Amino acid sequence: MAYKTIVEENIDILVVGAGLGGSGAAWEARYWGQNKKIVIAEKANIDRSGAVAQGLYAINCYMGTRWGENNPEDHVRYARIDLMGLVREDLLFDMARHVDSTVHQFEEWGLPIMRDPKTGRYLREGRWQIMIHGESYKPIVAEAAKKSADKVFNRICVTHLLMDDSKENRVAGAVGFNVRTGNYHVFKSKTVICGAGGASNIFKPRSVGEGSGRTWYAPWSSASAYGLMIEAGAKMTQMENRIVLARFKDGYGPVGAYFLHLKTYTQNGLGEEYESKWFPELQKMVGKEYLDPEVSHLTHRPIPTCLRNHCIIGEVNAGRGPIHMVTMKAFQDPHLEEVGWENFLGMTIGQAVLWASTDVDPKNENPELTTSEPYVMGSHATCSGAWCSGPEDVSPPEYFWGYNRMTTIEGLFGAGDAVGGTPHAFSSGSFTEGRLAAKAACKYIDDGKAEGIVISDEQINRRRKQIYKPLEHYKIYRNEIVAGDVNPHYINPKQGLDRLQKLMDEYCGGVTVSYMTNEKLLNIALKKLKIMEEDLDSLAAKDIHELLRAWELKHRHRAAECVTQHTLFRKETRWPGYYYRGDAMKVDDANWHVLTVSRRDPKTGEYTMEKAPCYHLVGANE
Amino acid sequence: MPTFVYMTRCDGCGHCVDICPSDIMHIDPTYRRAYNIEPSMCWECYSCVKACPQNAIDVRGYADFAPLGHSVRVIRDEEKGTIAWKIKYRNGTEKNFLSPITTKPWGQAIPKLADVPAPNQEMRDSQLLYNEPKWIRMDDGGLHTLQSAGLKMKKGVYY
Ligand SMILES: Cc1cc2nc3c(=O)[nH]c(=O)nc-3n(C[C@H](O)[C@H](O)[C@H](O)COP(=O)(O)OP(=O)(O)OC[C@H]3O[C@@H](n4cnc5c(N)ncnc54)[C@H](O)[C@@H]3O)c2cc1C
Ligand code: SF4
Ligand code: SF4
């Protein structure tokens, strides 16, 4: 094949995927490494890439410490109860103590943050959220990344990390291909900061046909952060902790501002409040420690997100759907109506299109809500991702191995969705994590940890062959058939994605089974995933665009396998409303108040599962 | 709500191709104009719509659940720093919204970190990030630590 090999050498810091996390990393790295070579490799165009491509209307993680609003430990408490007790408190504390400086910087750069005219402080949507006019959030952040990086390679789909051939378990860069020219790109780097984002489209979506792109997390969130790191042998944590979102039906428009700022609320199809009905039964499942409506009422302790989903799922299954968001009251106020609309236009335009096309005006009619298919990511109300070191002044020995946000692979760092155990980081926290990773990566290099890296030609050539195989495979077998996509020798990426989604849905707790699974089902899932891996070897791509889809599918498949392994390992139902283990329907604190950690051996493909201790640094009381 | 391109407006400039995060806006080889090659991977994020200098791209709600006869149009203006939306309902209702997108001249307010004074060793050894401790405390104190927060590391639990 005539594709060129383009080698970029002597990189100090390679940022793989410059969404919010990666942009933060590229930006900050320049300060700590003013003469270091900083390079970005990004699948799309960093001006509009990742989950924030269409903008955001809120920054969901801001402490307001300078105004005495919250301290970092308050945020740890909040994220911990929301995640049913299991988080990396060291990482959360660390993110929370820095995040305000990130947000104030955004404002200095020109991001319009709304202010409360009375207090002069940022306008709160809720205790942690502030409201912004964030249509250009991503272009502004990308501008900062571009100011710091030596080179930005847009349209490079990174497929694999490169590993040091002289020292085991040390990263040495990454490889990928240009989704336009098809050229093979080799990035030789002392460190890699992985910001390649979370995963949509692993589970069968509710939407079908032309509408399949209407996912909650972006359809281009291809699980690459997980695929890349798992494949290289990094340890992962809490991968079972997938998230289900309660959102406006079909459009998946956000509800945060509606609940918090507009004070809208939900009711069932009969017009009744339904949540409290489910609490007594639910309390038996999860224990009073995690659900105590009275305490929540008195202290404003949040009811965990998953438990609120549980009530919706239960109510709908009991035949009392649909669930409605009561907007008719709030929307009579023209100011609130405007906020409600701009909220969508700023981050989920499709919801506005849907209401316009179906003549739903929330002023005159209460729109429907639904629970989404599961997503795997690490920065929302969920915390899947790599097992990373914390900072030296906060982390206990089990959580610390020298460099903040470094994975268990030397020189490989993570940010945003890539890092496990840190829910509720959101956009601002992801950017902050990138900054932390960048500082640590510079220190790693300055400490001489990246000396003597060797990358063999064999490794580079082997990866090159692997990358283009779907194109070759197509060429070889295409002419055996007259036309069309049905071929006994291959499947195409779309066909493969359908298979992945169907099996994850049915066996690993997707929408069609009301998020239910059990040990037997999970074992079947693993078997099917294994066979699917063989078929992924026979994936065919008819052009470079399909080659992109092929590699996205491979990353999704690897992440799905890891999710299934974790779900099988944790023998309890820790997050009812996200998924249920039918054979272990309760929270089991005696055995499972732990973080789950996996490692896939890159040579054998075998997984090792372990329990890691959960350190509570922060007491229960405010 | 996947995108489509009006034949008479598109001049094939490729801005949409350059920006689409899903890599689905491509130039048709025969007509030399852009089109959406994979509507089922469109997030209706409007990145391409906003980027098109000819206003040639529009969105038609997903066929499987959005009836015809609506439109959501947008004009984004970096000079003015605004974004303007026009929503037209199937039943003719119209709604208009205008928001700021930035408060500063585009791209000028971000410092070049290569040119700021380099951090000293003490700063490097600390937990601080660039420009900190600005903005992170109410008082003039440094970064929060377990000690300053009155917290203690407790033994990890497996219970
Ligand atoms: C609908 C929606 C609403 C949200 N609302 C809010 C909100 O109101 N407030 C808030 O603070 N947060 C919100 N978030 C969350 C926020 O967007 C995420 O927390 C944040 O973007 C995560 O950052 P990240 O860097 O991990 O991932 P991303 O920002 O998604 O970045 C990942 C990057 O990696 C690139 N990439 C992926 N694969 C590859 C590959 N193989 N090779 C190279 N590059 C690759 C992508 O193109 C992208 O640039 C919302 C998210 C969504 C989807
Ligand atoms: S940006 Fe507009 S004019 Fe340019 S190619 Fe795309 S649709 Fe055509
Ligand atoms: S709306 Fe977004 S995803 Fe769809 S074609 Fe345009 S840029 Fe691509």
Side-chain angles (χ1 to χ4, degrees):
Chain A
M1 218 161 285
Y3 298 123
K4 282 191 256 177
T5 295
I6 297 166
V7 184
E8 189 70 32
E9 284 181 290
N10 299 319
I11 304 169
D12 291 293
I13 294 178
L14 175 68
V15 175
V16 171
L20 263 283
S23 296
W27 153 256
E28 182 86 16
R30 179 55 73 217
Y31 181 62
W32 303 101
Q34 283 180 321
N35 47 25
K36 288 190 169 39
K37 183 169 172 184
I38 302 162
V39 169
I40 292 172
E42 159 64 48
K43 176 171 82 168
N45 178 334
I46 67 168
D47 285 345
R48 293 276 180 193
S49 69
V52 185
Q54 57 182 316
L56 292 180
Y57 198 69
I59 286 178
N60 284 353
C61 182
Y62 174 72
M63 302 300 116
T65 306
R66 66 179 290 242
W67 288 312
E69 293 176 339
N70 295 291
N71 278 317
E73 58 272 24
D74 301 320
H75 191 255
V76 174
R77 273 187 206 102
Y78 159 66
R80 180 176 64 199
I81 183 66
D82 195 50
L83 270 287
M84 305 291 287
L86 306 182
V87 290
R88 277 283 300 272
E89 296 190 11
D90 60 328
L91 297 177
L92 274 175
F93 183 87
D94 188 36
M95 184 272 292
R97 66 180 169 168
H98 291 285
V99 72
D100 284 12
S101 85
T102 293
V103 174
H104 284 273
Q105 221 164 234
F106 289 161
E107 192 182 32
E108 286 183 354
W109 296 348
L111 182 69
I113 302 183
M114 299 181 211
R115 284 185 184 257
D116 185 327
K118 278 189 238 123
T119 61
R121 301 177 189 171
Y122 292 158
L123 183 64
R124 284 286 183 190
E125 179 182 297
R127 178 164 177 190
W128 309 103
Q129 301 82 354
I130 56 174
M131 297 174 58
I132 62 173
H133 288 290
E135 189 280 334
S136 294
Y137 196 174
K138 187 71 221 291
I140 290 171
V141 161
E143 199 67 39
K146 286 190 276 192
K147 279 234 160 104
S148 277
D150 288 288
K151 277 190 185 174
V152 179
F153 288 85
N154 282 326
R155 300 291 169 195
I156 306 290
C157 173
V158 173
T159 56
H160 302 86
L161 295 169
L162 279 173
M163 300 302 285
D164 183 4
D165 284 307
S166 74
K167 187 166 186 245
E168 211 173 327
N169 200 40
R170 185 163 72 162
V171 83
V175 296
F177 63 96
N178 185 305
V179 307
R180 293 288 156 66
T181 64
N183 289 334
Y184 178 48
H185 283 257
V186 179
F187 300 93
K188 298 184 176 179
S189 183
K190 293 196 174 87
T191 62
V192 175
I193 299 178
C194 183
S200 62
N201 270 334
I202 280 185
F203 288 82
K204 185 161 112 186
R206 280 190 188 271
S207 53
V208 295
E210 188 183 271
S212 308
R214 181 77 315 252
T215 46
W216 166 72
Y217 221 45
W220 47 81
S221 295
S222 51
S224 290
Y226 308 138
L228 292 167
M229 297 190 297
I230 296 166
E231 194 77 24
K235 284 189 179 178
M236 306 299 289
T237 188
Q238 301 293 92
M239 292 297 286
E240 68 279 23
N241 177 222
R242 77 295 287 276
I243 183 172
V244 168
L245 297 299
R247 288 291 181 273
F248 288 107
K249 185 168 182 299
D250 293 338
Y252 286 175
V255 294
Y258 281 73
F259 280 129
L260 298 167
H261 191 74
L262 310 182
K263 306 280 184 243
T264 62
Y265 54 91
T266 59
Q267 61 189 26
N268 69 12
L270 307 172
E272 304 160 345
E273 188 278 331
Y274 58 91
E275 260 190 0
S276 56
K277 260 195 322 214
W278 291 92
F279 287 157
E281 204 50 38
L282 196 49
Q283 200 178 50
K284 282 187 213 148
M285 277 170 73
V286 302
K288 205 166 169 171
E289 203 179 329
Y290 300 109
L291 177 65
D292 194 337
E294 270 158 49
V295 169
S296 289
H297 188 72
L298 289 174
T299 64
H300 298 286
R301 188 174 91 164
I303 307 270
T305 308
C306 61
L307 301 184
R308 311 196 78 155
N309 285 351
H310 174 86
C311 303
I312 295 183
I313 297 164
E315 197 65 12
V316 169
N317 286 348
R320 291 186 292 270
I323 302 299
H324 282 124
M325 180 75 102
V326 182
T327 50
M328 282 165 67
K329 257 193 228 146
F331 272 59
Q332 300 311 319
D333 175 340
H335 169 68
L336 293 185
E337 185 191 8
E338 188 177 320
V339 170
W341 277 100
E342 288 188 348
N343 202 268
F344 288 164
L345 298 170
M347 57 181 161
T348 315
I349 304 153
Q351 187 71 51
V353 180
L354 178 63
W355 283 355
S357 69
T358 47
D359 287 336
V360 171
D361 188 337
K363 200 155 66 174
N364 309 324
E365 172 177 350
N366 295 326
E368 281 177 51
L369 290 189
T370 194
T371 50
S372 75
E373 55 283 345
Y375 292 83
V376 184
M377 47 96 72
S379 61
H380 208 274
T382 172
C383 61
S384 304
W387 185 239
C388 291
S389 175
E392 60 179 324
D393 68 327
V394 176
S395 303
E398 279 106 327
Y399 294 175
F400 178 71
W401 45 96
Y403 299 94
N404 203 351
R405 264 67 178 181
M406 190 167 85
T407 66
T408 54
I409 293 176
E410 282 178 57
L412 175 64
F413 296 77
D417 289 334
V419 176
T422 54
H424 293 278
F426 290 102
S427 58
S428 46
S430 295
F431 191 93
T432 305
E433 278 195 324
R435 299 176 66 197
L436 292 165
K439 181 177 181 184
C442 288
K443 183 163 188 300
Y444 170 93
I445 297 168
D446 295 339
D447 288 351
K449 300 284 185 188
E451 299 299 317
I453 293 177
V454 176
I455 305 166
S456 65
D457 288 345
E458 184 277 328
Q459 187 181 173
I460 290 174
N461 294 333
R462 174 162 45 92
R463 291 305 185 201
R464 184 185 161 113
K465 249 209 181 112
Q466 266 178 318
I467 288 177
Y468 295 115
K469 191 169 170 203
L471 288 175
E472 296 286 343
H473 200 78
Y474 178 83
K475 262 214 320 246
I476 296 170
Y477 293 108
R478 160 64 190 90
N479 289 328
E480 223 174 82
I481 58 168
V482 178
D485 294 322
V486 187
N487 190 302
H489 300 286
Y490 60 68
I491 53 171
N492 67 31
K494 176 73 181 107
Q495 292 162 342
L497 186 65
D498 287 343
R499 187 187 311 172
L500 179 71
Q501 292 178 342
K502 180 174 161 64
L503 85 87
M504 289 302 285
D505 176 70
E506 291 173 347
Y507 294 101
C508 200
V511 165
T512 59
V513 294
S514 270
Y515 315 102
M516 182 62 76
T517 184
N518 64 32
E519 186 171 325
K520 277 223 167 74
L521 290 164
L522 290 163
N523 276 314
I524 299 173
L526 285 176
K527 202 166 140 198
K528 287 183 185 282
L529 284 164
K530 197 93 219 145
I531 297 169
M532 179 164 175
E533 187 163 351
E534 288 170 26
D535 279 9
L536 289 183
D537 242 12
S538 305
L539 209 53
K542 65 174 186 292
D543 54 26
I544 296 292
H545 176 72
E546 265 197 10
L547 190 63
L548 166 68
R549 297 289 183 249
W551 281 100
E552 288 177 339
L553 174 62
K554 284 171 189 252
H555 288 163
R556 284 191 166 106
H557 170 270
R558 187 61 76 220
E561 179 188 67
C562 189
V563 167
T564 310
Q565 290 281 3
H566 274 255
T567 311
L568 179 63
F569 184 59
R570 182 181 286 285
K571 291 189 183 44
E572 64 163 354
T573 298
R574 171 66 51 171
W575 304 277
Y578 286 173
Y579 75 94
Y580 303 86
R581 276 279 307 247
D583 48 352
M585 280 295 277
K586 287 189 167 173
V587 166
D588 176 6
D589 257 347
N591 294 298
W592 290 100
H593 196 95
V594 293
L595 301 168
T596 55
V597 177
S598 67
R599 180 173 186 269
R600 178 183 177 276
D601 185 330
K603 291 199 191 92
T604 63
E606 294 298 318
Y607 279 80
T608 320
M609 304 297 308
E610 52 178 318
K611 295 178 174 182
C614 193
Y615 273 89
H616 295 302
L617 310 180
V618 173
N621 300 320
E622 305 234 349
Chain B
M1 335 285 137
T3 53
F4 64 93
V5 176
Y6 287 107
M7 179 75 105
T8 51
R9 288 197 208 151
C10 172
D11 66 6
C13 72
H15 282 62
C16 55
V17 181
D18 185 46
I19 204 69
C20 173
S22 204
D23 188 40
I24 58 180
M25 292 306 288
H26 283 214
I27 301 286
D28 180 86
T30 311
Y31 294 110
R32 300 256 145 228
R33 290 175 173 84
Y35 78 112
N36 183 337
I37 61 163
E38 202 183 356
S40 66
M41 285 294 280
C42 177
W43 203 36
E44 72 269 10
C45 72
Y46 274 67
S47 298
C48 58
V49 181
K50 293 168 187 170
C52 175
Q54 309 298 334
N55 294 316
I57 313 178
D58 205 345
V59 159
R60 188 273 278 131
Y62 294 126
D64 41 347
F65 55 85
L68 296 174
H70 58 274
S71 91
V72 174
R73 300 288 285 164
V74 63
I75 295 175
R76 179 177 180 274
D77 189 330
E78 278 191 11
E79 295 270 291
K80 285 197 215 141
T82 56
I83 185 146
W85 295 94
K86 183 186 274 307
I87 301 175
K88 264 205 197 127
Y89 272 63
R90 183 177 161 85
N91 65 14
T93 308
E94 237 185 78
K95 293 182 192 282
N96 293 284
F97 300 98
L98 181 75
S99 305
I101 59 173
T102 180
T103 58
K104 305 263 168 86
W106 199 259
Q108 292 170 28
I110 302 173
K112 250 183 119 87
L113 294 187
D115 303 336
V116 305
N120 59 24
Q121 196 56 41
E122 191 193 341
M123 180 86 176
R124 284 181 186 278
D125 292 339
S126 77
Q127 293 291 328
L128 295 171
L129 294 174
Y130 167 68
N131 214 13
E132 287 180 352
K134 201 174 167 190
W135 305 128
I136 54 176
R137 282 284 284 260
M138 199 165 168
D139 50 34
D140 292 332
L143 200 67
H144 287 273
T145 60
L146 288 184
Q147 208 181 7
S148 75
L151 303 171
K152 262 206 210 82
M153 206 119 76
K154 282 170 229 144
K155 183 87 192 91
V157 289
Y158 284 95
Y159 60 81

